[in-house]
Amino acid sequence: MDITLKGNYQPFLYGLQELAKEKGVTISQLGVPITIEQNDEEETAISYQNGQGKIRYQHDYHVYRAFGLIIQHAVTGEDFNLEEQSQFKTIGPMFDLSRNAVMKVDQFKSMFRKLSLMGFNAAMLYMEDTYEVKGFPYFGYMRGRYSQQELKELDDYAFQLGIELIPCIQTLAHLEEFLKWDASAHLKDTRGVLLAEQEATYQFVEKMIMAVTAPFRSKRLHIGMDEAEELGRGIYLNKYGYKDRLELMTEHLHRVTEITDDLQLEVMMWSDMFIKLASDSGDDQYDMATEISEEMQQLIPSNVTLMYWDYFHTKKEDYHTLIDKHKQLGQTPAFAGGIWVWNTFATNYGLSLQTSEAALQASKEANIQDVFVTLWGDDGYENNYYAAMLGLQLYAEHQYHSTVDRQDWYKRTKFCTGLDPRAYLQLNELDAIPGVAVENSDQTNPSKFLLWQDVLLGLFDKHIEGLAIAEHYQQLEQTFKQVRDSQAELDFIFDVPEKLSAVLARKSTIGLQLKAAYDAGDADKLKAIANVELPEIIERVRRLRAAHKAQWFHMNKPFGWEVIDIRYGGLIARLETAIERISSYSNEEIDFIDELEQERLPFNANVDQSTGLGWSSYYYRMASPNVFFHVLPIY
């Protein structure tokens, strides 16, 4: 398809050329004419009539979404006339680049093109230590940190597509990966928290802020400061004595904002510590009964925008209640929702879409101006950013409509990403297995714990007794094969789910079979497990690892893959050990298998009261109840 640009297109030419290539379109002198004009009205008007397109834009970034809409309709020859108006000042995803998956620059550019077509005007880069800070060589050491040049290249490219890149860092907690080094011991209060009230800390914070803001056009900076419950309870306590956390937090914030003020930056920070410390328990940011005192209202600097994060509530009324509590602190907050791609191989669309719909409607009604959607990567990012695209498209559609039509949302997803929305929804089925409520509201993650749990120890086996889980994964493997499209650019993201389903079709219940055969003294079944079942599982795990490695290296820098590699290596080694143990028992070389003599207990004691099958956030807890590493005191 050929496109001819007319009117005021020169300021957008580079970005439109990039989007044209993304969609296989050629910009030439002879093609479908698209006229671009600025609109004095509040709406962006987009039309395709009689073979001609027209864009009358309100904001510059609208041009890129409108360009995509015209191509989407022109390809089918479908006439349309549409008016769109921004519901929020800023909207965009936040990419977690601190949990081992640091996206390669070229892949990020591909992502930006899709975000631009969707209609986003911002993206936040969450970097705890994955950027360069001169004078601190251990900051991001061997972690895939971005160079200043790489960040500038990303910012330049995003800018040409109408996207503001905003750095999001940590200036208090969540700095475990830097503070673990001996070279940074002088800056440490606890494992992940900086030592407040010492000048060396603020000299370091200033260097961090100067380093991370230098490559970006944006004057906005997110300074983090969430989940700092350990503040003042480690080396600080030994060195300076006890101080109330709220007082210490506030003083630290003022020192940080002195730095940002000098640099003329607009500052955002997570709100949870202030809301938690205002609650009766001192640690519940979602306590609906929390009262905001006048004293608390005076503590938040007027030049800091609080960001309320919430990916849990499914009722709009709950968001309104919590937004109102933020407003009592003296300002309308920014909001950050989430698409649940973390702590699992699956993407929990059941919960994500419910929470997002409620949160976005509440945000509009509460006149929130800045909305972000987080893509966290907790525990090593076994999932991937592209698995969230259906959810991201929902956020984009909410930016331009008071309510979202499902059919239009799905069509936009197909156009912007090249994948059928139903394929994205199949990812949900990796965790939404028999025994799990339809919407998976309890965040169960069996795709992860059934893969990594040890066959001989069966820590989660009690959770799945009597359920047709192997059959579920057998069918899911075939479903993934059916929904895949080898011609689609993003089809590769389904290779891991397909091969994971194949593994879990055999491995998910093998521990139950093994324990039952052992308890029954079924020698034939034990031999079949050792000689047939476990070797087949090992072979399937090897195929899964190969697919996962290919996906990782396609998207991300190599740093961090070694963590996942070790997990696969450990899994294969333990399966081989299981074969050896069972064979030794079958050959009467040992009198019993000690691991199989043990009673099976549920991993989560109250799992029977849940609508899910249990949850664990950490691989090492799934793999073994024994010591992976010795946990030292928090400092």
Side-chain angles (χ1 to χ4, degrees):
M1 179 178 176
D2 286 356
I3 293 289
T4 300
L5 297 177
K6 296 185 175 183
N8 183 35
Y9 67 85
Q10 285 296 334
F12 313 103
L13 181 57
Y14 179 81
L16 295 178
Q17 288 172 332
E18 291 297 289
L19 297 185
K21 286 187 288 185
E22 173 80 6
K23 302 313 299 181
V25 170
T26 302
I27 295 177
S28 68
Q29 296 301 313
L30 297 173
V32 175
I34 298 179
T35 303
I36 300 173
E37 300 173 352
Q38 190 152 19
N39 196 351
D40 294 332
E41 306 298 325
E42 292 186 358
E43 297 84 14
T44 289
I46 314 155
S47 65
Y48 178 75
Q49 303 283 342
N50 301 318
Q52 298 189 43
K54 188 170 185 179
I55 301 169
R56 299 186 70 231
Y57 64 93
Q58 180 190 15
H59 298 294
D60 287 359
Y61 69 90
H62 289 173
V63 172
Y64 305 106
R65 173 180 165 91
F67 180 72
L69 279 164
I70 290 175
I71 294 174
Q72 179 181 338
H73 287 80
V75 166
T76 62
E78 177 187 359
D79 285 359
F80 81 106
N81 199 322
L82 179 66
E83 290 186 347
E84 294 187 332
Q85 184 175 354
S86 297
Q87 306 292 301
F88 307 107
K89 178 183 175 183
T90 307
I91 189 164
M94 188 219 75
F95 296 95
D96 183 353
L97 303 163
S98 300
R99 302 298 191 279
N100 295 353
V102 179
M103 206 186 312
K104 294 194 290 191
V105 169
D106 286 347
Q107 269 306 300
F108 237 142
K109 290 179 179 180
S110 176
M111 175 66 77
F112 290 153
R113 292 193 293 273
K114 294 166 181 61
L115 298 181
S116 182
L117 287 168
M118 288 177 168
F120 289 112
N121 66 352
M124 197 173 282
L125 308 187
Y126 179 74
M127 301 177 289
E128 292 173 357
D129 67 329
T130 49
Y131 58 97
E132 283 184 319
V133 179
K134 289 185 179 178
F136 293 87
Y138 284 93
F139 193 82
Y141 174 62
M142 291 292 182
R143 295 256 294 136
R145 63 189 172 202
Y146 289 116
S147 68
Q148 294 270 309
Q149 182 180 353
E150 286 176 317
L151 290 176
K152 186 177 186 306
E153 184 178 351
L154 288 175
D155 187 65
D156 288 343
Y157 193 79
F159 175 75
Q160 297 278 16
L161 294 168
I163 296 171
E164 175 190 8
L165 278 196
I166 303 167
C168 178
I169 64 171
Q170 290 290 354
T171 57
L172 182 57
H174 283 299
L175 286 168
E176 291 87 350
E177 299 311 313
F178 171 59
L179 295 178
K180 69 189 176 190
W181 299 107
D182 292 345
S184 54
H186 64 293
L187 298 170
K188 181 167 64 174
D189 177 6
T190 68
R191 280 191 300 268
V193 178
L194 291 171
L195 181 59
E197 294 190 2
Q198 69 161 0
E199 287 308 309
T201 296
Y202 299 103
Q203 291 168 9
F204 168 64
V205 169
E206 182 175 21
K207 289 182 178 180
M208 276 200 303
I209 292 172
M210 292 179 68
V212 82
T213 55
F216 296 96
R217 288 172 173 79
S218 178
K219 297 301 289 182
R220 291 200 277 182
L221 172 69
H222 198 305
I223 59 172
M225 297 183 67
D226 60 310
E227 297 180 324
E229 285 84 3
E230 295 179 354
L231 175 64
R233 295 180 175 181
I235 291 172
Y236 180 94
L237 185 63
N238 296 339
K239 189 172 183 178
Y240 299 116
Y242 173 79
K243 180 175 275 191
D244 178 77
R245 278 187 301 165
L246 180 57
E247 182 182 357
L248 190 53
M249 175 97 180
T250 305
E251 290 176 357
H252 181 78
L253 175 58
H254 280 280
R255 288 297 304 271
V256 173
T257 54
E258 286 177 5
I259 297 168
T260 56
D261 285 349
D262 286 345
L263 296 171
Q264 299 182 314
L265 298 171
E266 301 171 34
V267 172
M268 294 177 278
M269 68 171 288
W270 305 114
S271 68
D272 58 293
M273 285 302 294
F274 285 109
I275 301 297
K276 284 176 183 176
L277 294 172
S279 69
D280 288 341
S281 65
D283 64 0
D284 186 358
Q285 74 183 90
Y286 301 124
D287 184 350
M288 299 296 173
T290 296
E291 296 292 336
I292 305 298
S293 66
E294 289 187 16
E295 177 188 6
M296 180 69 78
Q297 294 174 23
Q298 304 303 314
L299 295 178
I300 313 296
S302 60
N303 58 346
V304 174
T305 297
L306 294 179
M307 182 171 282
Y308 157 43
W309 56 271
D310 191 339
Y311 353 102
F312 302 96
H313 293 96
T314 57
K315 296 179 180 178
K316 182 174 69 173
E317 295 75 18
D318 291 339
Y319 290 97
H320 272 298
T321 298
L322 292 164
I323 290 169
D324 287 343
K325 293 188 186 302
H326 283 78
K327 287 183 175 181
Q328 291 171 27
L329 289 170
Q331 57 175 263
T332 299
F335 176 76
I339 304 299
W340 283 77
V341 293
W342 57 92
N343 266 321
T344 178
F345 283 79
T347 299
N348 188 342
Y349 274 117
L351 180 60
S352 297
L353 299 181
Q354 279 194 92
T355 58
S356 297
E357 184 66 31
L360 287 163
Q361 291 292 0
S363 295
K364 292 174 187 177
E365 293 170 9
N367 199 34
I368 284 178
Q369 294 297 298
D370 300 301
V371 170
F372 291 87
V373 49
T374 60
L375 307 177
W376 297 109
D378 300 13
D379 198 41
Y381 227 134
E382 291 151 330
N383 206 337
N384 68 85
Y385 308 103
Y386 285 123
M389 298 300 269
L390 177 63
L392 295 188
Q393 189 75 60
L394 177 64
Y395 272 75
E397 296 312 300
H398 269 285
Q399 165 70 337
Y400 298 96
H401 306 284
S402 56
T403 59
V404 174
D405 178 82
R406 180 177 293 269
Q407 187 176 8
D408 290 341
W409 163 34
Y410 280 11
K411 285 180 179 178
R412 289 291 295 157
T413 302
K414 172 67 173 175
F415 174 77
C416 293
T417 73
L419 295 179
D420 191 309
R422 292 169 296 181
Y424 286 107
L425 292 174
Q426 287 303 313
L427 297 172
N428 198 61
E429 299 304 305
L430 284 164
D431 282 341
I433 66 177
V436 177
V438 173
E439 301 298 345
N440 194 2
S441 58
D442 281 319
Q443 309 142 36
T444 194
N445 59 345
S447 66
K448 179 165 178 159
F449 64 66
L450 291 177
L451 176 66
W452 298 131
Q453 78 160 348
D454 191 274
V455 171
L456 288 172
L457 304 178
L459 297 182
F460 289 85
D461 280 351
K462 288 291 289 185
H463 296 217
I464 60 170
E465 284 181 328
L467 298 173
I469 292 175
E471 294 83 354
H472 173 86
Y473 283 118
Q474 286 171 3
Q475 180 57 54
L476 188 57
E477 180 191 1
Q478 298 308 312
T479 301
F480 278 124
K481 289 179 178 179
Q482 293 164 10
V483 301
R484 294 188 64 173
D485 177 2
S486 60
Q487 301 303 308
E489 176 197 354
L490 298 185
D491 179 70
F492 73 91
I493 70 170
F494 294 108
D495 204 21
V496 169
E498 179 188 319
K499 290 180 171 58
L500 175 60
S501 297
V503 171
L504 295 180
R506 300 294 284 265
K507 183 179 184 292
S508 59
T509 59
I510 195 65
L512 290 169
Q513 297 174 48
L514 177 57
K515 177 74 166 127
Y518 181 80
D519 289 346
D522 188 338
D524 290 340
K525 180 64 174 176
L526 288 174
K527 288 179 180 178
I529 289 174
N531 297 330
V532 179
E533 291 294 326
L534 294 182
E536 174 61 21
I537 291 170
I538 288 172
E539 187 55 38
R540 293 186 182 203
V541 169
R542 288 192 171 118
R543 290 197 288 266
L544 170 60
R545 173 183 169 269
H548 201 166
K549 182 168 65 171
Q551 174 184 282
W552 184 285
F553 280 83
H554 179 74
M555 291 185 62
N556 305 315
K557 295 186 178 186
F559 305 96
W561 169 252
E562 74 280 1
V563 172
I564 309 298
D565 228 0
I566 290 167
R567 293 178 187 181
Y568 282 117
L571 175 57
I572 291 171
R574 287 298 296 162
L575 288 166
E576 290 173 343
T577 295
I579 292 172
E580 294 169 5
R581 297 281 286 153
I582 299 166
S583 298
S584 293
Y585 177 71
S586 298
N587 295 334
E588 299 183 353
E589 296 169 7
I590 57 175
D591 295 330
F592 56 88
I593 302 175
D594 210 350
E595 302 94 319
L596 299 180
E597 293 282 332
Q598 306 299 309
E599 179 188 2
R600 294 317 193 229
L601 300 175
F603 185 92
N604 304 115
N606 298 317
V607 68
D608 59 331
Q609 301 171 26
S610 168
T611 63
L613 291 175
W615 172 270
S616 177
S617 297
Y618 302 108
Y619 154 79
Y620 73 92
R621 291 299 186 205
M622 300 171 187
S624 171
N626 289 297
V627 176
F628 261 64
F629 54 85
H630 180 58
V631 179
L632 297 170
I634 58 176
Y635 52 87

